Each structure stands twice: as structure tokens, then as C-alpha cells.
Amino acid sequence: MRDGQGREIDYMRISITDRCNLRCRYCMPEGVECMPRWDILSLEEIKAIALCGAGLGIRHIKVTGGEPLVRRDCCQLVAMLKSVPGIEKVTITTNGVLLDPYLEPLLAAGIDGINISLDTLDPVLYREITGRDQLENVLGVLKKASSLPVRVKVNAVSVDFSSLLPEGAGQEPSWRELAELAREYPVDVRFIEMMPIGYGRQFTTIDHQELLKEMKALYPDMEEDQTPHGFGPAVYYRIPGWKGSLGLISAIHGKFCGSCNRVRLTAQGYMKSCLCYEDGVDLRDILRNGEKRPDTEGHYHWPLKDCPEEPALQERLREAMSGAIFKKPGAHCFEKPGQITESHNMIAIGG
């Protein structure tokens, strides 16, 4: 399907939980409350949306959170999404802490790619950013990248976190250490400009135009890599002799709205067509026929779990989703923070 700007929308990011086992300062710092479990979509509800999305032209799905692997049925969901006719690729974004024991189940479920969020290789700074001592678990998985049958990517937000270190603790910019991972391992290391959403407003992003200049000065043989790496907006570069590539996702200083191909589904079933604005459509209300949350806490058991393809339901979803996609804004306004209408934190929206 094409939106009102003529852009082909074929990529959906699906958040399956707002819970996480880290407490990153720019996403889910200590003290953030999670939503009631009843509010979270069941696997079958997510599949119903994926079925409708595939009928509208969605071909690629990214499973996100929160941390998707804290949801114990994550691998089951991956297998369900892979079974949807029309869906070509299902990938996942994770912080990597729980990834090692889930590698084989994810591969068995058919996962097509793994993105690992990692902002530093410094153990002290890692703890300051995330609130946890889990860096070794993440690095242990990265060392297995050479033996995995799927592409592995490392995602790092472009923020200078050095102020979080003890006074007098000098450190090279984190991006240099992270970039070197692509020399040693067959991974794509991507740097992502921090978007002014939620707690991210408290941090200033590194300008990728300046970062690219620094990269080219350090690696003068670096050249743009035109080979396909995925379905998103990253611009990739390769360096002779390296096993992996470097990528830049520059939402602020390299605006790519004209080619945006994605929509987002929050864990509570709200479909957003642009991260910058609150506009969207409540698909959970359609799935549950307006049912209200009960007084008692607990998981929701969807009455239509055995027939997510039910024609009347799919027609209602199709009308709502196609309408929201058609109204997708022409561009974000992150460069004008006063015009941003999205007030939720990223943990509630989905990574």
C-alpha cells in the first residue's frame, strides 16, 4: 500500500512488551512504571494485525520492546509471524542480555536477523547508562556472530555519554571502540541520532555530518557501501579488510522522511505512522470490541485467538490500518521540538 505521499509502506515495527531488564537513562530509567499486563496484546492479536498488514503490503516485520526476550513467548511469536502469507522477513532488536540462551530457539523459529543495542564497550560507562552489569553477556553473543546464519547488527545511539563517568576518567569517544567491532566481526555497526522523544529529550545527539567527517579522517579508505543490508534508512560504509560495515541512521541531520516505509505498533495495540506525532489508530479497541480493562490484574485471553483471520475482524482492521497509513505525515519535525506532539516515552512506544 502507498500512503498519501505516494510512499510504499512495507515495514512494520511491532513492540511486544514495555518491560525491560535494563534501565537505560534515555529510554527507561529507574522508577518508570510498566503498563498493566491486560493492556498488552496477546500473540494471536498480534498475528491478526500481521495478517491484515500483509494484505496491505507489509513484507518486513521487526520485533521490538521494551526488551522482547523478557516476554517468554517471543520465539513462539516469531514462528507465528513467519507463518503469515506475504511476510518475507522477521527480525528482532534486543539488548542482548538474554540473547545467548535464546539464539537456537530464535533460529529454529525462523528469525532472519538480529539487532543488538549497545552504546559502549566500557564496563563502567555501560553500567552508568543501563544501570546493570551485563556487558559481558552481550559481548559473549557478539563473539558468536561469525558462526550465525543470519545478519547481526549493533545499534548505538549517537550521544556523548562521557559526562556519566567519574570525574577525571578520560575516554575516547565510544563510537571508535564500537566501530572496531566491524573490523573484528561480520557485524554492521550502526550509529543512530538520538531523537527528542521521552527521556531522549534530556540528551543532545551527535551531529552525524560531523561524525562522518571524524570517521573519514580516521578511516580514509572508507567508502559508501551500496549492497543491501536491510529495509531501513541506514547509509552504510565499508572499509577494506573489515569483516563488517558501518552505518549511520541520521533522522535529524540527514532527514529521510521522503523514503520512509514504516509504521509502528505499540505493545498495547496502537498503530503509529510517524514517531514524531501522537496520531494513529487504536487497533486493540477493534480487536477487543471496546472491552474495558477489568479491576483485577492479569493477562488478556482473546476470544478470537483460534481465528485471527475472521473476515469481519480483518475488514475492520483493514479499514483502520489503511486509513492511518494513508494519513501518514509527510515528514517529522524533530528539528522543531516545540511542534512534536508525541508525549510518550520510547519504552511505551517501542524501539
Side-chain angles (χ1 to χ4, degrees):
M1 175 175 175
R2 295 186 180 276
D3 67 5
Q5 311 294 321
R7 296 168 296 194
E8 184 176 358
I9 309 302
D10 60 4
Y11 178 28
M12 178 180 284
R13 299 179 67 90
I14 298 179
S15 173
I16 66 171
T17 181
D18 69 328
R19 287 155 172 78
C20 188
N21 49 355
L22 297 181
R23 288 296 179 267
C24 296
R25 293 178 181 236
Y26 57 83
C27 182
M28 189 184 186
E30 298 287 357
V32 173
E33 293 188 6
C34 295
M35 65 186 71
R37 295 184 186 277
W38 187 93
D39 290 8
I40 305 294
L41 293 186
S42 66
L43 299 190
E44 295 81 10
E45 290 174 301
I46 295 173
K47 182 177 181 180
I49 292 171
L51 284 164
C52 184
L56 291 171
I58 298 296
R59 295 293 173 259
H60 316 297
I61 290 177
K62 176 78 72 182
V63 176
T64 74
E67 168 49 45
L69 293 179
V70 303
R71 182 161 174 170
R72 287 175 290 182
D73 50 15
C74 178
C75 296
Q76 181 183 349
L77 175 64
V78 170
M80 291 171 69
L81 294 174
K82 287 286 291 185
S83 73
V84 173
I87 298 301
E88 299 172 3
K89 299 287 184 182
V90 178
T91 57
I92 189 170
T93 292
T94 169
N95 59 36
V97 172
L98 298 174
L99 184 54
D100 192 39
Y102 279 103
L103 273 176
E104 288 304 319
L106 282 170
L107 293 171
I111 201 71
D112 294 297
I114 299 171
N115 290 14
I116 299 174
S117 299
L118 179 63
D119 298 322
T120 182
L121 298 185
D122 182 290
V124 176
L125 186 54
Y126 181 90
R127 177 174 176 78
E128 287 299 319
I129 294 171
T130 69
R132 304 290 186 269
D133 285 317
Q134 296 289 348
L135 180 59
E136 287 304 312
N137 286 344
V138 182
L139 295 180
V141 174
L142 276 175
K143 292 174 182 177
K144 297 182 179 181
S146 299
S147 62
L148 296 178
V150 298
R151 185 185 291 272
V152 176
K153 300 176 181 178
V154 173
N155 291 342
V157 293
S158 292
V159 169
D160 181 3
F161 289 112
S162 60
S163 62
L164 301 180
L165 288 169
E167 188 174 350
Q171 186 203 32
E172 281 193 350
S174 290
W175 74 261
R176 296 185 184 179
E177 287 185 316
L178 290 165
E180 290 290 323
L181 291 172
R183 184 199 298 269
E184 187 173 356
Y185 304 109
V187 299
D188 294 332
V189 178
R190 293 117 56 84
F191 299 95
I192 304 173
E193 287 189 332
M194 176 69 79
M195 291 172 282
I197 295 292
Y199 292 100
R201 293 175 184 264
Q202 301 173 16
F203 297 86
T204 301
T205 190
I206 293 173
D207 184 335
H208 275 186
Q209 294 177 355
E210 297 303 316
L211 178 58
L212 184 57
K213 290 179 183 177
E214 291 183 39
M215 287 181 167
K216 288 182 174 179
L218 188 61
Y219 308 118
D221 294 334
M222 187 172 77
E223 58 186 20
E224 195 163 334
D225 183 357
Q226 299 289 349
T227 58
H229 288 248
F231 323 107
V235 177
Y236 288 95
Y237 299 87
R238 60 177 176 229
I239 300 170
W242 285 34
K243 296 179 180 179
S245 297
L246 303 180
L248 297 177
I249 300 177
S250 311
I252 312 299
H253 300 97
K255 203 166 177 176
F256 42 77
C257 298
S259 58
C260 186
N261 63 339
R262 69 185 58 188
V263 291
R264 294 171 182 263
L265 181 70
T266 71
Q268 61 269 42
Y270 193 78
M271 195 183 86
K272 293 175 54 65
S273 58
C274 181
L275 187 58
C276 186
Y277 305 104
E278 286 193 336
D279 306 43
V281 61
D282 186 354
L283 301 181
R284 187 185 68 192
D285 191 59
I286 296 171
L287 291 162
R288 301 182 184 180
N289 281 318
E291 185 177 347
K292 302 301 180 183
R293 184 195 308 144
D295 294 332
T296 56
E297 164 71 342
H299 294 283
Y300 180 73
H301 299 285
W302 192 39
L304 294 176
K305 68 177 184 177
D306 294 324
C307 48
E309 68 285 349
E310 199 269 325
L313 170 67
Q314 285 295 317
E315 182 56 35
R316 294 195 299 274
L317 287 173
R318 183 181 181 87
E319 181 179 358
M321 292 174 66
S322 61
I325 290 172
F326 188 79
K327 295 176 183 177
K328 180 177 170 69
H332 69 65
C333 62
F334 288 139
E335 69 277 15
K336 300 176 182 178
Q339 297 181 16
I340 299 172
T341 61
E342 179 54 75
S343 59
H344 293 88
N345 295 316
M346 282 302 296
I347 196 70
I349 300 170

